[in-house]
Amino acid sequence: MYVPKESQPKQGGGGSAKAKDGKRKIVAQNKKARHDYAIIDTYEAGLVLTGTEVKSLRQGRASLTDGFVQIDGNEAWLHNAHIPEYSQGTWTNHTVRRKRKLLLHREEIDKLESKSQETGHTIVPLALYFKDGRAKAEIALARGKKEYDKRQTLREKQDRRESDRAIAAAKRKQRGA
């Protein structure tokens, strides 16, 4: 009798290892970037970190507000991301605002480099998170918004919120009647 591979019992270990379900544990988000920039395309990049940086991130301490991504010599670098020193670190502690290497595929780096050289385009970090135990950064190719674009986005958001409230109130009224 044929049994599909998914339903076959796993070989080896007694199941003590953590299941990798692909969930993201978000450490830091750059909400201001979504307000200031129109996001064109997003990418997931690995981060090259030191041990104390990882421990500090696991404590949920980081800030991306001034961060940006730059491509130098066919490598992507995250600048100005603030990861505070690990509280229990010694002389091995890291520099708080050092540049950190991003791990991307060659095609992605080439595409980002060519697009970012166009007028008005930049690469911004959107989030730092852990996925399957590895530190990742969500970066985006973005174009700066004008002031009227920002106002229009806020107006649309407010209109959407008001309509959702009205719909919820109507549903509550129906249930009560």
Side-chain angles (χ1 to χ4, degrees):
M1 178 175 140
Y2 172 75
V3 179
K5 192 169 190 146
E6 298 87 41
S7 61
Q8 291 177 359
K10 302 268 190 236
Q11 297 291 327
S16 62
K18 258 181 157 176
K20 293 188 177 184
D21 53 0
K23 294 213 176 189
R24 295 181 0 161
K25 180 187 173 234
I26 295 178
V27 177
Q29 282 187 324
N30 191 356
K31 293 181 181 179
K32 190 172 188 217
R34 293 194 185 271
H35 176 71
D36 292 341
Y37 298 98
I39 307 301
I40 298 169
D41 203 5
T42 60
Y43 299 89
E44 181 180 70
L47 279 167
V48 177
L49 300 172
T50 63
T52 55
E53 287 174 324
V54 175
K55 289 179 179 185
S56 187
L57 281 177
R58 289 212 184 272
Q59 291 179 340
R61 302 169 59 207
S63 173
L64 293 172
T65 50
D66 298 330
F68 64 95
V69 176
Q70 197 171 35
I71 299 184
D72 296 327
N74 293 327
E75 293 180 340
W77 296 89
L78 176 63
H79 293 268
N80 279 355
H82 184 270
I83 299 176
E85 288 185 342
Y86 181 55
S87 58
Q88 296 171 346
T90 58
W91 57 273
T92 59
N93 244 334
H94 62 277
T95 309
V96 175
R97 287 198 182 266
R98 74 177 186 92
K99 66 179 191 177
R100 295 163 177 93
K101 188 175 180 180
L102 294 173
L103 304 173
L104 291 163
H105 290 284
R106 168 67 50 222
E107 304 86 44
E108 293 173 335
I109 292 173
D110 293 340
K111 183 177 178 184
L112 282 171
E113 185 174 22
S114 66
K115 291 284 188 178
S116 67
Q117 289 174 351
E118 293 178 12
T119 308
H121 288 79
T122 187
I123 308 168
V124 293
L126 297 177
L128 286 177
Y129 56 91
F130 284 99
K131 182 178 176 186
D132 295 334
R134 301 194 189 280
K136 304 281 185 181
E138 182 180 15
I139 61 173
L141 180 65
R143 185 179 61 251
K145 284 185 183 177
K146 304 282 187 217
E147 196 63 36
Y148 57 85
D149 288 334
K150 294 178 189 178
R151 284 194 298 267
Q152 184 177 353
T153 304
L154 286 173
R155 196 174 305 117
E156 289 171 359
K157 193 178 199 180
Q158 186 178 2
D159 291 345
R160 211 174 311 119
R161 191 176 298 139
E162 287 175 3
S163 67
D164 289 344
R165 284 183 186 152
I167 291 170
K171 284 182 180 179
R172 279 195 302 271
K173 193 174 180 182
Q174 270 185 342
R175 278 186 267 151

